[in-house]
Amino acid sequence: MIVLLFVLMFAFMALGLEIYISMGAASMIYLLVATETPLNLLTSTMVKEIDSYTLLAIPFFILAGELMNRSGMTLRLVEFSKFFIGKLKGGLAYSAVGVNIFSAGVSGSAPADCSAVSSVMLPAMKKDGYKEGFSASINAAAATIGPIIPPSIPMVFLALITNLSVGRLFLGGIIPGFLMGAALLVICYVLMKKQDLPVVDYKRSWKKFMSLFKDTFFALVAPVIIILGIITGMVTVTEVAILATAYVLLIGMFVYRAISWKDLVHIFASTGVFASTIMVLFSIVGIFSWIMAGEQVADQLAELFLSLHVNAVTFLLLVNIFLLFIGMIMDALPAMLIFIPVLLPLALELGVDPIHFGVVVVVNLMIGLVTPPVGALLYIVSRIGKIPFHVVGRSIFPFVLALLAVLLLITFVPSLVTWIPYSMMGE
């Protein structure tokens, strides 16, 4: 009967209903038809699912990203990166990757980073003669680094539904995040050799460097606050999110003077709407997860995999293929919340390190954000750059292949994920 739950959910999604409505309606119908569970259990389960102190980190990270974008920090990071790579052919493309790596250390959200950086980079790249498909693709692909380098909203979700350490998941994403950046830079270099791009005459001097560094210093410090807070363990993830938000707010209002009191109303309102949709989704998933636990779906799948004598490597490859497919048709957070409570027990049964498994899952689902037909980040850059979606969809594939190469590398070499968290925070 558990098949009925998934059939109903995907049927509602196919009709165009929001994911949380599809999951909630499917769960309610399933409880009415297949069980004798009282429906008042729905409300108590939903409230219990979001009654979490750690969950507060999500709206604060969202707010920090919004404040960072409004304060002009992104533009300052672009100018700072151009100082080092401005004379290279295709320097703006390299800057797009570099700025996304810096931005990743504040917001932890791929859509937020994509919107902020693309709004600055796409007009500049168009002016310098970059092909529109290439420009949109590199900005979308680079934004996938946002939830890999700490902090990361998806990793907070993953920790909440699996009871894994948020700090270790954050630290586990550092090396994979930089590997993703390196892979994208290589693809940029190969693709730009075929483009007739001007080499910008960017004059460097110690005086100019100091001027840019002074202007960008406060933007560069924000990720450091978050990383140090996680490594030292002096504050919780939620407290780190609050500190980062307060820091960016103060810098934006009183140092850069780019945020006014009037702006705060809109910023808080948009953050509240975005965060509330995530909270609703999380509460609905509580019902979904409760049903799957009651039906012992994880135990049944474990028996199936063990009967097939699947080893850890084969299991991870199968999970990657499955999640890559799911990521093509579903957003990352609901996919994670639906399937990971089932898949993680299997991974543990087969001896897969949970931190390694968690980071592999997040990287996998971030690739889904730039993979057609859904590809949420592709729609964002298409809208910002006023570029036809099919043009972006065709141009993204070299970058997807680069990201897939990194995914396979961290899948087969677990130490690339586990070395930093276990050396910093112990076994």
Side-chain angles (χ1 to χ4, degrees):
M1 288 296 290
I2 193 66
V3 176
L4 174 65
L5 182 67
F6 287 94
V7 170
L8 288 171
M9 182 187 71
F10 286 113
F12 288 135
M13 289 173 58
L15 292 173
L17 296 179
E18 294 287 346
I19 181 66
Y20 65 88
I21 297 176
S22 300
M23 293 175 65
S27 299
M28 186 172 67
I29 293 172
Y30 180 84
L31 290 174
L32 287 170
V33 173
T35 72
E36 297 180 356
T37 305
L39 291 184
N40 60 6
L41 178 70
L42 296 178
T43 53
S44 60
T45 303
M46 291 172 66
V47 172
K48 181 181 177 182
E49 194 67 22
I50 58 175
D51 183 19
S52 169
Y53 176 70
T54 304
L55 196 58
L56 284 173
I58 292 173
F60 279 104
F61 279 132
I62 294 172
L63 180 56
E66 184 73 17
L67 290 168
M68 181 179 177
N69 298 339
R70 291 298 189 93
S71 67
M73 286 186 177
T74 302
L75 184 59
R76 287 173 168 83
L77 289 172
V78 170
E79 291 300 318
F80 188 66
S81 66
K82 283 168 64 176
F83 178 85
F84 297 98
I85 55 183
K87 281 193 172 183
L88 296 176
K89 180 181 179 180
L92 285 177
Y94 299 133
S95 294
V97 178
V99 173
N100 270 284
I101 290 175
F102 278 113
S103 299
V106 179
S107 73
S109 168
D113 288 347
C114 186
S115 299
V117 179
S118 298
S119 298
V120 176
M121 298 302 302
L122 287 180
M125 295 176 80
K126 182 178 181 179
K127 182 180 178 182
D128 281 2
Y130 288 76
K131 293 180 179 179
E132 58 181 14
F134 171 83
S135 302
S137 296
I138 184 57
N139 278 280
T144 61
I145 301 172
I148 308 303
I149 293 177
S152 166
I153 291 175
M155 288 185 186
V156 174
F157 265 78
L158 188 63
L160 286 168
I161 62 177
T162 59
N163 292 321
L164 295 177
S165 165
V166 182
R168 284 180 176 171
L169 285 171
F170 277 9
L171 295 176
I174 293 177
I175 293 178
F178 281 101
L179 287 175
M180 291 166 70
L184 293 177
L185 290 175
V186 171
I187 296 299
C188 280
Y189 175 76
V190 173
L191 294 179
M192 285 188 299
K193 288 178 68 175
K194 303 175 183 178
Q195 297 188 44
D196 183 20
L197 296 172
V199 178
V200 180
D201 185 17
Y202 195 92
K203 299 185 184 299
R204 296 190 181 99
S205 67
W206 179 251
K207 183 179 180 180
K208 188 172 184 64
F209 170 78
M210 290 305 298
S211 175
L212 285 171
F213 181 74
K214 181 180 178 181
D215 194 39
T216 316
F217 174 77
F218 292 105
L220 297 174
V221 169
V224 176
I225 293 174
I226 295 173
I227 300 296
L228 286 179
I230 295 166
I231 292 176
T232 60
M234 295 177 62
V235 289
T236 65
V237 172
T238 302
E239 291 164 346
V240 165
I242 295 170
L243 287 172
T245 301
Y247 174 82
V248 177
L249 176 61
L250 292 173
I251 297 303
M253 291 189 71
F254 302 112
V255 178
Y256 294 152
R257 300 182 183 277
I259 300 175
S260 67
W261 291 104
K262 187 182 296 184
D263 293 331
L264 290 180
V265 176
H266 178 73
I267 293 172
F268 289 154
S270 61
T271 300
V273 171
F274 186 21
S276 63
T277 58
I278 293 178
M279 296 299 180
V280 170
L281 174 62
F282 203 84
S283 66
I284 293 294
V285 168
I287 305 169
F288 208 80
S289 302
W290 184 87
I291 293 173
M292 289 195 291
E295 296 291 345
Q296 298 181 319
V297 175
D299 293 339
Q300 294 174 29
L301 282 175
E303 291 178 7
L304 174 62
F305 273 93
L306 292 174
S307 66
L308 296 174
H309 303 290
V310 173
N311 59 27
V313 174
T314 305
F315 170 76
L316 286 173
L317 286 175
L318 291 173
V319 168
N320 276 333
I321 293 171
F322 172 71
L323 291 179
L324 284 170
F325 171 74
I326 292 297
M328 292 172 65
I329 60 175
M330 185 182 293
D331 196 27
L333 295 184
M336 190 183 306
L337 292 167
I338 294 169
F339 297 110
I340 299 312
V342 176
L343 294 174
L344 181 60
L346 297 178
L348 297 176
E349 188 77 21
L350 293 169
V352 178
D353 182 88
I355 301 301
H356 175 228
F357 179 76
V359 173
V360 166
V361 164
V362 175
V363 171
N364 193 309
L365 292 174
M366 290 307 102
I367 295 174
L369 293 178
V370 290
T371 308
V374 177
L377 299 184
L378 302 184
Y379 281 99
I380 291 175
V381 294
S382 175
R383 186 176 68 251
I384 291 174
K386 297 180 181 179
I387 302 167
F389 182 81
H390 70 272
V391 173
V392 185
R394 284 200 308 264
S395 304
I396 195 64
F397 284 105
F399 299 103
V400 171
L401 291 175
L403 295 174
L404 287 175
V406 175
L407 175 63
L408 286 175
L409 181 61
I410 65 172
T411 298
F412 288 115
V413 188
S415 58
L416 292 174
V417 174
T418 58
W419 178 64
I420 292 180
Y422 287 126
S423 61
M424 291 285 186
M425 302 182 70
E427 295 293 334

